[in-house]
Amino acid sequence: SIRPFRIFDLLKFNNVNLDCLTETFYTHFYGTYFVKWGGYCVVAENAGGFMEGYVMGKVEGDRLNEQKKDWHGHVTAVTVAPDYRRRGLARILMNHLEATTNKDAGWFVDLFVRSTNNVAISFYQRLGYVIYRTVKGYYSSSAAHEKDEDAYDMRKSMIRDKSKSCEVADKKEIDPSE
């Protein structure tokens, strides 16, 4: 079942977070999301209460500025425990976040993904996301001899953006500071 992500879920999500591509954040970071953007943060759990996956996101931008068209949902993290992958659960979680964005009249949903994470990129493309632009050096390397890794900023227009204009970038590459 899908239900809101609660602060005590942080005590039982290791089975979901313990893979090399899932970012783990500070407790305060999660708490901020739950308080500010609770509708964008949900978990999938089985009948025994075991967490199978979660999506965590937010809504951001200028809601009142029709010209900018930047009021949007953002996927901060979506992940599924290894034992529950390849069952459509990530798609269900993404659908929830997209439905919440549509309800909030967002123009699009965006997310960042490592440019080398081909499995995730293919998954998002199957869901209708496009590579909007590259963010140079977005992911810091863990070793001094390694180069920072680029991210793809991927987007999917929501119902409000009938012309899909939010999927067309004015610049194909940007720096993280932009």
Side-chain angles (χ1 to χ4, degrees), residues 11 20 40 61-62 69 77 79 87 91 118 120 143 151 160 167:
L11 301 175
C20 63
Y40 287 81
D62 187 347
K69 296 182 180 179
T79 190
R87 299 180 187 184
R91 178 183 298 271
N118 295 322
R160 188 174 183 188
E167 294 180 0

Side-chain angles (χ1 to χ4, degrees), residues 8 19 28 32 37 45 51 53 58 67 76 79 94 98 104 108 112 116 125 135 140 147 152 155 163:
F8 286 110
D19 83 35
H28 180 267
T32 299
W37 306 290
E45 68 180 7
M51 189 183 297
K58 60 183 176 179
Q67 304 300 71
T76 302
T79 190
M94 290 294 291
E98 291 170 10
D104 285 342
F108 60 91
F112 292 161
T116 56
Q125 287 174 327
V135 184
S140 299
K147 179 178 134 178
Y152 289 144
R155 288 188 178 187
S163 68

Side-chain angles (χ1 to χ4, degrees), residues 97-140:
L97 191 135
E98 291 170 10
T100 303
T101 302
N102 276 320
K103 186 181 80 174
D104 285 342
W107 290 94
F108 60 91
V109 170
D110 78 344
L111 57 91
F112 292 161
V113 61
R114 291 179 185 274
S115 62
T116 56
N117 189 346
N118 295 322
V119 172
I121 293 164
S122 294
F123 166 72
Y124 295 128
Q125 287 174 327
R126 285 192 306 276
L127 293 182
Y129 287 78
V130 298
I131 297 173
Y132 177 71
R133 61 186 169 194
T134 301
V135 184
K136 303 300 289 175
Y138 180 79
Y139 293 103
S140 299

